Amino acid sequence: MQENHVQGKRQKKKRRRSENSILAGSILLCIVTLTAVTVCLVAVFQYRAIQQQNVEVMNELEEVRLVEEMSYSQSEVDALLESAVAKTREETDAEVSSAFLDQLKEFMESGESTTDMLRYFFTDEVVVADAGRYYFFPILEQLAKNTYDPTAFMPDEDGVMHYYKEGERISHKGIDVSRYQDRIDWEKVAEDDVEYAFIRLGIRGYTEGVIMEDETFQDNIRGALKNDIDVGVYFFTQAMSVEEAEEEAEFVLEAISPYRVTYPVVIDIEAVTSTNARSNELTSEERTEYCIAFCDKIKEAGYTPMIYGNLKTFMLLLDIEKLEDYDKWFAYYDETYYFPYDFKIWQYTNKGSVSGIKGDVDLNISFE
């Protein structure tokens, strides 16, 4: 029994040593992770200091970068930042380092993302994060910029965004709907000060390519017009050729011919997450060509064409330089937008609430 007791004590000590070893390893891993994050954040701000002071290091980094857009993975961004922090330590003084340590604390406390920080110091470029990579697009001087004052956008107590000029509200409240909103009481929608509605007219299937009308289109457009709500329509494209894009436009034109459509006729261009989507391999040049074909067909019929998309749509999926002649409807869900170029309508949330509609609905603000 004495021998069993001794063996038991040895086993307990062995377990304690094992547990302590695991605990020590976990603590070490946490320290290493925290250190890595800290170094990365320090690098961001020190790299910003280089840019702001126009020192030689920034010039060297800029020479490496191409004039056209570049994309970087997270590991490549980390490597660039680590290089920047090493050089900054050699070339910046204590006052600058102290200032950036203060900035580091502020960013860490506010929980800013890597994307937010990159956008903070690359102010002359559009930074797009997608699928674990970062893309940098120089802001093109030849393209029209939006002139909205970010401080003039103000949400009311219901979260509805308004835009003011010289103390007067000049913006217009709108929604966009499809079958996902189910049955809508348009009388109540009108009573909730909705001035216009974009109604999904239809889609082209992303696997078989069949054109289908949205099953709620007829009820929605009739209900909106009956209650004096201005109407626009949108079509979700999956065109694989100019011919298919024109086919989509003709389908839309035929469907709206009985109705008074005074707002734009929109082509909805978004990335499809399905791996077997027929449009997955399209280039930006091809998408742009098909987009133009749709818009021109709509314009020929006397309507105003418009392109709907988010940051990825306009910067990655399309060649925005070739789309200067077409109005844009920009989707960006935040209190402020991030897009330098001109747009006519901003879809600022997909979690809006409107009387007469059950559940969430997209809210839009327009300026014309």
Side-chain angles (χ1 to χ4, degrees):
M1 183 175 292
Q2 179 67 23
E3 183 179 350
N4 291 339
H5 179 68
V6 171
Q7 288 178 349
K9 291 178 67 177
R10 288 175 178 171
Q11 289 175 351
K12 288 180 180 179
K13 288 181 179 179
K14 187 176 181 180
R15 283 198 299 270
R16 282 199 298 270
R17 285 197 298 270
S18 176
E19 291 170 354
N20 290 339
S21 176
I22 292 173
L23 180 59
S26 299
I27 293 173
L28 179 61
L29 180 61
C30 290
I31 292 173
V32 170
T33 302
L34 181 59
T35 301
V37 171
T38 302
V39 168
C40 182
L41 291 175
V42 170
V44 168
F45 292 106
Q46 290 177 325
Y47 186 56
R48 177 59 171 166
I50 296 172
Q51 186 190 48
Q52 289 175 327
Q53 295 189 33
N54 196 26
V55 298
E56 220 171 277
V57 178
M58 186 61 189
N59 293 333
E60 292 174 4
L61 290 174
E62 287 299 323
E63 288 175 6
V64 176
R65 302 195 40 213
L66 300 177
V67 175
E68 66 226 21
E69 67 270 10
M70 294 285 291
S71 72
Y72 299 91
S73 66
Q74 182 65 58
S75 60
E76 289 168 337
V77 168
D78 292 343
L80 178 64
L81 295 177
E82 287 176 10
S83 174
V85 71
K87 292 185 179 182
T88 304
R89 283 171 176 164
E90 298 174 359
E91 301 191 19
T92 56
D93 57 27
E95 183 178 348
V96 172
S97 297
S98 176
F100 273 90
L101 283 175
D102 291 340
Q103 282 185 307
L104 170 62
K105 291 177 183 178
E106 182 180 340
F107 268 86
M108 291 184 71
E109 289 173 354
S110 65
E112 296 283 355
S113 68
T114 301
T115 304
D116 292 329
M117 288 185 286
L118 289 173
R119 289 172 178 173
Y120 171 75
F121 56 81
F122 284 104
T123 55
D124 59 344
E125 295 177 274
V126 181
V127 181
V128 184
D130 180 63
R133 297 191 68 85
Y134 298 92
Y135 298 83
F136 297 77
F137 297 86
I139 296 175
L140 303 174
E141 291 303 319
Q142 66 269 30
L143 298 187
K145 313 298 185 298
N146 76 72
T147 57
Y148 308 126
D149 177 5
T151 64
F153 288 94
M154 298 181 188
D156 61 22
E157 62 275 8
D158 296 320
V160 177
M161 191 72 72
H162 302 289
Y163 187 78
Y164 295 85
K165 187 174 183 179
E166 297 178 355
E168 181 182 355
R169 194 181 85 185
I170 63 170
S171 59
H172 306 278
K173 176 183 177 181
I175 60 175
D176 57 274
V177 297
S178 68
R179 68 179 183 85
Y180 296 109
Q181 275 67 50
D182 201 13
R183 188 172 181 82
I184 297 174
D185 186 333
W186 285 99
E187 184 177 357
K188 290 184 178 179
V189 171
E191 291 172 354
D192 202 0
D193 299 324
V194 172
E195 299 177 61
Y196 62 93
F198 281 100
I199 298 168
R200 190 172 79 167
L201 189 150
I203 65 171
R204 184 188 288 275
Y206 60 79
T207 56
E208 301 298 325
V210 177
I211 292 180
M212 297 170 284
E213 184 177 290
D214 187 300
E215 53 260 46
T216 61
F217 168 67
Q218 299 293 342
D219 286 341
N220 282 338
I221 194 168
R222 290 169 182 164
L225 291 173
K226 183 179 179 181
N227 288 277
D228 297 322
I229 296 173
D230 290 328
V231 166
V233 299
Y234 69 96
F235 183 91
F236 181 80
T237 181
Q238 283 288 287
M240 295 292 291
S241 66
V242 168
E243 290 73 25
E244 286 194 352
E246 291 179 342
E247 180 188 17
E248 292 174 354
E250 289 167 357
F251 179 84
V252 169
L253 291 171
E254 183 177 354
I256 64 176
S257 60
Y259 303 107
R260 186 171 181 268
V261 175
T262 54
Y263 263 64
V265 174
V266 183
I267 181 169
D268 179 355
I269 302 177
E270 301 176 64
V272 177
T273 56
S274 175
T275 56
N276 63 340
R278 65 202 303 261
S279 62
N280 280 349
E281 301 305 317
L282 288 179
T283 65
S284 62
E285 290 77 12
E286 290 170 330
R287 289 183 193 271
T288 302
E289 182 183 7
Y290 309 155
C291 176
I292 291 173
F294 179 98
C295 290
D296 285 351
K297 202 77 173 175
I298 298 300
K299 187 175 182 179
E300 289 172 7
Y303 296 93
T304 300
M306 178 176 276
I307 305 166
Y308 169 90
N310 53 25
L311 199 59
K312 180 177 179 178
T313 300
F314 290 114
M315 304 311 300
L316 295 181
L317 300 185
L318 296 171
D319 182 351
I320 196 168
E321 288 188 75
K322 297 179 179 179
L323 301 173
E324 184 74 346
D325 294 336
Y326 307 98
D327 290 345
K328 297 169 184 68
W329 175 8
F330 182 56
Y332 192 83
Y333 303 149
D334 206 338
E335 293 181 356
T336 57
Y337 60 86
Y338 177 77
F339 193 61
Y341 302 115
D342 187 44
F343 59 90
K344 302 299 183 186
I345 299 175
W346 172 25
Q347 184 186 84
Y348 58 90
T349 182
N350 61 348
K351 301 292 184 182
S353 177
V354 170
S355 298
I357 298 178
K358 297 177 182 178
D360 296 332
V361 63
D362 298 338
L363 294 181
N364 300 276
I365 180 171
S366 68
F367 312 94
E368 295 182 6

